Amino acid sequence: MSRCFNFSAGPANLPLEVLEKAQRDLVDYQGTGMSVMEMSHRGKDYTAIHQKAQQDLRTLMAIPENYQVLFVQGGASTQFAAVPLNLFSAARKADYVNTGAWSKKAIAEARRYGEVTVVASSEDNTFNYIPELSPEHFSKDADYVHITSNNTIYGTCYPTLPETGSIPLVCDMSSDILSKPYDVSRFGVIYAGAQKNIGPSGLTIVIVREDLIGQAQDFIPTMMNYQTHADNNSMFNTPACFIIYMAGLVFDWMLANGGVEAMGKRNQEKAGILYQFLDQSNLFKATVSEADRSIMNIPFVTGNADLDQQFIQQAEVNNFKTLKGHRSVGGMRASIYNAFPKEGVEKLVDFMAEFEKSNS
Ligand SMILES: *Cc1c(COP(=O)(O)O)cnc(C)c1O
């Protein structure tokens, strides 16, 4: 068996222990004579998996009692519509911060259902920073304020959360959920696709404060209504059973490795190695201003598209896979989520130093 260093932005690499555990359980889950893929979602074996995954996520993120944890489908992209459909009340107004491609998609979707104000944007500088936000930026009568905590494509992350007062803060946390401690009580809604830091694609996590459930307008599709999933313990219909099982194994792995606090320390360390190299290199440059740098997604360039291309090709041959930047920005991007080993970052930096030497 040979495993590469996989820098994919998502679906992303999973801990090897998790894959091996799933492999051992695959055809006969704990003596049941069947795979988790084949069992009833109402049976006791799956029910136990489901409850434990929810409980472990609560433990990992210290989710307060007055929040519901929902396991839904449709990706973060479905939440772009579900959020306004659930949270738009009388005013039907929301404030959005535009920090990149995912924010833009969320804004476009919300505009179909109400009045959206883009209160700040970093588009003027290809989204390479997080705009300053103070409480007076926000509309007093907004139903919520929406941010994207970590911008997967551009590699920015909020250094501090905006103060929105009594207006619920809604966050697309797809690419940095569980990467470091977040105070859940600061948010009205957190949502995230699983395929970056949690598991395979096909599961979406929604963490929602209970007082925000039950205000949806009548025409909302039943499957998008948070109430539907809250009332049925995320089993109104067939959940993404196998993906939830995989997410549960990842939660076990995180708990066994010090939880979110320890993940945060490791992620800082890993990102630090790469940024430190980039900041002293004469060839490679980080694209994001220092204060707003993501510890999950790190874009970098040489400034020469042909050289970028050569680097990506040679990296590939040397087992550093999926380093090509997003098609909208070019260059390179190293996504180093929780499961990505520190050793892989160290080896990448050595490889980059060698490449630099032979191209100077
Ligand atoms: C990947 C990503 C999405 C899209 O998620 P899907 O699950 O594919 O819909 C949305 N927002 C952010 C920040 C992402 O990184």
Side-chain angles (χ1 to χ4, degrees):
M1 184 190 69
S2 119
R3 297 268 296 165
C4 69
F5 291 118
N6 177 9
F7 293 90
S8 173
N13 71 160
L14 291 166
L16 181 59
E17 297 101 294
V18 165
L19 294 173
E20 287 176 339
K21 175 89 172 53
Q23 185 180 45
R24 285 195 297 276
D25 280 351
L26 191 70
V27 298
D28 176 10
Y29 176 75
Q30 296 186 359
T32 55
M34 59 179 92
S35 160
V36 174
M37 282 181 264
E38 304 167 299
M39 55 179 62
S40 165
H41 60 293
R42 308 278 176 204
K44 76 171 179 7
D45 293 293
Y46 178 72
T47 304
I49 291 169
H50 194 89
Q51 306 290 27
K52 183 174 185 307
Q54 279 178 341
Q55 195 46 56
D56 285 349
L57 182 60
R58 282 190 171 276
T59 305
L60 281 163
M61 292 182 76
I63 299 174
E65 285 288 318
N66 62 325
Y67 284 74
Q68 292 274 340
V69 173
L70 311 179
F71 290 160
V72 297
Q73 297 180 54
S77 301
T78 297
Q79 293 306 310
F80 295 163
V83 164
L85 284 168
N86 277 280
L87 300 193
F88 272 157
S89 57
R92 288 216 202 177
K93 279 187 182 174
D95 287 350
Y96 276 68
V97 184
N98 180 15
T99 52
W102 295 117
S103 301
K104 275 187 168 179
K105 286 189 170 159
I107 290 164
E109 198 68 9
R111 284 212 158 117
R112 306 179 63 196
Y113 306 108
E115 192 182 323
V116 168
T117 308
V118 176
V119 290
S121 166
S122 49
E123 191 160 22
D124 60 345
N125 217 347
T126 52
F127 297 114
N128 72 356
Y129 70 103
I130 298 287
E132 291 280 340
L133 290 163
S134 56
E136 58 270 23
H137 275 100
F138 304 113
S139 320
K140 297 225 160 10
D141 57 347
D143 291 321
Y144 63 91
V145 173
H146 182 282
I147 61 166
T148 313
S149 53
N150 184 80
N151 295 277
T152 326
I153 295 174
Y154 300 94
T156 60
C157 183
Y158 281 73
T160 53
L161 293 172
E163 294 289 345
T164 59
S166 60
I167 312 170
L169 180 62
V170 175
C171 182
D172 176 358
M173 210 180 266
S174 292
S175 54
D176 72 337
I177 189 168
L178 295 169
S179 70
K180 62 182 175 190
Y182 268 113
D183 177 359
V184 174
S185 72
R186 293 285 310 275
F187 299 91
V189 179
I190 293 168
Y191 64 89
Q195 67 273 20
K196 276 88 185 216
N197 238 347
I198 293 177
S201 61
L203 166 67
T204 313
I205 308 278
V206 178
I207 301 165
V208 52
R209 214 173 65 206
E210 274 168 357
D211 62 291
L212 298 172
I213 299 175
Q215 298 178 20
Q217 292 155 82
D218 283 346
F219 60 81
I220 188 173
T222 305
M223 282 294 291
M224 281 200 195
N225 196 333
Y226 295 153
Q227 179 102 57
T228 303
H229 302 290
D231 286 351
N232 293 280
N233 190 27
S234 300
M235 290 235 205
F236 172 76
N237 73 325
T238 319
C241 302
F242 190 74
I243 311 304
I244 292 168
Y245 157 76
M246 290 294 293
L249 294 184
V250 172
F251 298 155
D252 285 342
W253 172 82
M254 288 185 66
L255 286 166
N257 285 279
V260 172
E261 195 105 12
M263 293 291 140
K265 283 210 188 91
R266 269 183 73 225
N267 290 331
Q268 281 294 353
E269 233 173 71
K270 281 161 25 186
I273 294 169
L274 185 46
Y275 282 125
Q276 203 169 32
F277 174 79
L278 291 168
D279 287 344
Q280 60 74 53
S281 169
N282 293 316
L283 179 63
F284 297 102
K285 294 267 163 296
T287 58
V288 171
S289 47
E290 206 171 329
D292 302 330
R293 286 174 172 176
S294 167
I295 54 170
M296 297 276 92
N297 313 97
I298 305 181
F300 55 96
V301 295
T302 63
N304 172 337
D306 292 334
L307 208 53
D308 286 352
Q309 192 53 37
Q310 270 180 45
F311 174 75
I312 291 161
Q313 271 166 12
Q314 290 182 30
E316 194 88 16
V317 174
N318 284 274
N319 223 21
F320 304 105
K321 302 280 175 73
T322 351
L323 272 167
K324 195 172 186 317
H326 189 269
R327 60 189 185 280
S328 65
V329 259
M332 284 72 72
R333 171 179 51 172
S335 295
I336 48 174
Y337 298 113
N338 287 347
F340 192 91
K342 182 174 162 193
E343 182 204 354
V345 183
E346 290 165 342
K347 290 202 163 143
L348 174 68
V349 163
D350 291 344
F351 176 73
M352 288 167 76
E354 248 173 69
F355 185 89
E356 179 168 344
K357 221 188 280 165
S358 54
N359 284 278
S360 59

